[in-house]
Amino acid sequence: VGALAVAGVFALLLALSRPPGIEKIIAWPLDFFDKGLVIHVVFSFVVWFLAVFGALVQLATLRVSEGRPRFAFLGPAAVMCVTVGCPLLFIPAFIDRGEATLNNYVPAIIDPLYYAGLGLLGAGLTLATLRLIANLPGSGRKWMAPASFGAVGGGFTYLIALVCFAIALKALGGETPSYYFNEILFWAGGHVLQFVNVIVMLVAWHILGRVSFPGEAPLKPSVERVAVGMLFVCALAGIAFSLKYGLGDDKYFDSFTALQYGLGPPVMLVVIAAAWWLAGRRGATPLPWGNPAFPCLVLSALVFCIGGWLGFFVDGADTRTPAHYHGVIAGINLALMGLFLTFFLPLLGRAVAYTKVVYAQILLFAGGQTLASIGLFLAGGYGAPRKVAADTQGVEELGAVAGMYMNGIGALIAVVGGVLFIWTVAAALIGKPAPG
């Protein structure tokens, strides 16, 4: 939740740094806009998703070990690594050194502090993952429970991403950090991390389904296991591609770009199976729209599928590409919002009342992100370039202008929903837990 708050603060600072002439009023650090954009993306997309992955790994570790995990010391060590690493990721934005590189997946700032922050973040998640794996022997079939199975599958997939990072780093040798350096370093592992994110979403869907329909099984455990297994097998191809092709050649980039199509079938398998189950309970009790878990589940699947569908039309050069991944990311975020509101907080004895504000944040975020993605897609269809500031886009077509306005309005609506979510969860976490 702190990661989301940091991402929001930098989004606000980015907006404040854009008006012409503002540099005469506020002495912004060197290249603050590009650095701030890197930090906003990393905290909202990398740190936030991996933190929730870490929470699920922790939960699975406790469940497979019945609350008495072996190598327990690795837990606090993992938390310490991430706690120390996160500030190192945003400090470089406020000092006059380092260059921001808007490379794919894990954009970077060429500064020792930033790389150290990424290293500590990765080390913390690695320690947590290894502790889970170390507690699997002797646990019987406890790890086969859907949520635990997803965490284990996500853990092994995360380790695949680390292997890809290591292969790239070794191949780069002593090359001086640059945009090319960071693009190669994070390309393969960054792709594999998307499989981790989707596994986390599937685990969240399972939990939200059980919360929405107590005592029922909206999704058979075997279906989720097959979906997670498919994602893990596809992620394994990342190591093969990294070893087979020369890093940086066309086949290397194209193979990983094609690997994204491995994300769709497992998700569609789960969506179709859940929809079939819902259709089969026609005439049973009414759908639980009064429980935030259910609208989060439905909207997450809907927005994710919209983003996935937009991905069939991207070419990497215009704003149709961010339209695709913003939709997919929003779908994952909606699942995680539901996970916090209806599962994590109650588990910690800090349940929140399901007021209109809770439903408003869900609807605002889902509606705003959908509108923003469609606006980006429309603008991209008229040639609006990606990764370019508004005053240098050079768009003149009416459709492109309309699309960018839709994106701006949608983003503003989504930000309101996101702020309400952060406020709701942070207040519950800071507040006194309920007894028992």
Side-chain angles (χ1 to χ4, degrees), residues 378-379 382 395-405:
L378 177 62
Y382 285 93
V395 294
E396 297 180 357
E397 293 282 352
L398 179 60
V401 174
M404 294 311 296
Y405 272 104

Side-chain angles (χ1 to χ4, degrees), residues 99-358:
E99 176 189 354
T101 64
L102 300 177
N103 51 283
N104 287 285
Y105 294 108
V106 187
I109 298 174
I110 301 174
D111 187 286
L113 290 178
Y114 187 85
Y115 288 120
L118 286 180
L120 286 169
L121 174 66
L125 272 297
T126 301
L127 292 177
T129 299
L130 293 177
R131 187 177 70 148
L132 170 58
I133 294 171
N135 279 275
L136 295 181
S139 65
R141 294 181 57 83
K142 297 184 186 70
W143 68 280
M144 293 293 286
S148 297
F149 184 87
V152 171
F156 279 107
T157 306
Y158 172 78
L159 294 180
I160 292 173
L162 293 187
V163 172
C164 291
F165 288 135
I167 293 172
L169 185 60
K170 182 179 179 181
L172 287 166
E175 182 160 336
T176 303
S178 61
Y179 174 87
Y180 173 81
F181 177 93
N182 289 326
E183 182 75 350
I184 297 298
L185 176 60
F186 297 118
W187 180 259
H191 268 84
V192 175
L193 284 181
Q194 310 321 306
F195 287 84
V196 177
N197 295 337
V198 172
I199 290 175
V200 168
M201 181 183 72
L202 294 184
V203 174
W205 283 1
H206 166 78
I207 295 173
L208 293 177
R210 297 302 294 266
V211 172
S212 300
F213 300 94
E216 301 184 65
L219 187 65
K220 292 182 178 180
S222 58
V223 174
E224 183 180 348
R225 293 187 194 118
V226 169
V228 171
M230 293 169 65
L231 290 165
F232 173 74
V233 171
C234 287
L236 274 176
I239 297 178
F241 294 155
S242 296
L243 294 174
K244 181 177 180 180
Y245 301 119
L247 272 64
D249 67 22
D250 290 341
K251 288 185 177 180
Y252 176 74
F253 287 114
D254 293 344
S255 61
F256 278 101
T257 300
L259 191 60
Q260 68 179 332
Y261 294 108
L263 296 170
V267 173
M268 292 311 301
L269 173 65
V270 172
V271 170
I272 292 171
W276 184 270
W277 181 86
L278 281 174
R281 71 184 304 277
R282 187 176 301 169
T285 55
L287 296 177
W289 293 106
N291 185 333
F294 189 64
C296 279
L297 176 59
V298 173
L299 290 172
S300 170
L302 178 62
V303 175
F304 184 93
C305 289
I306 290 173
W309 180 76
L310 295 180
F312 287 106
F313 305 94
V314 304
D315 63 3
D318 56 53
T319 56
R320 287 176 295 181
T321 297
H324 153 64
Y325 65 69
H326 273 86
V328 169
I329 291 171
I332 298 174
N333 270 324
L334 283 163
L336 302 189
M337 289 171 70
L339 197 63
F340 270 78
L341 293 170
T342 66
F343 183 68
F344 281 157
L345 291 181
L347 200 63
L348 294 170
R350 301 168 186 271
V352 296
Y354 296 156
T355 62
K356 292 181 179 179
V357 174
V358 169

Side-chain angles (χ1 to χ4, degrees), residues 4 44 48-49 296 299-300 303 326-337 358-373 410-421:
L4 283 183
S44 61
W48 161 240
F49 283 175
C296 279
L299 290 172
S300 170
V303 175
H326 273 86
V328 169
I329 291 171
I332 298 174
N333 270 324
L334 283 163
L336 302 189
M337 289 171 70
V358 169
Y359 292 96
Q361 59 197 244
I362 297 168
L363 295 174
L364 287 171
F365 186 83
Q369 287 284 18
T370 302
L371 181 63
S373 294
L412 179 61
I413 295 172
V415 165
V416 173
V419 169
L420 289 175
F421 171 74

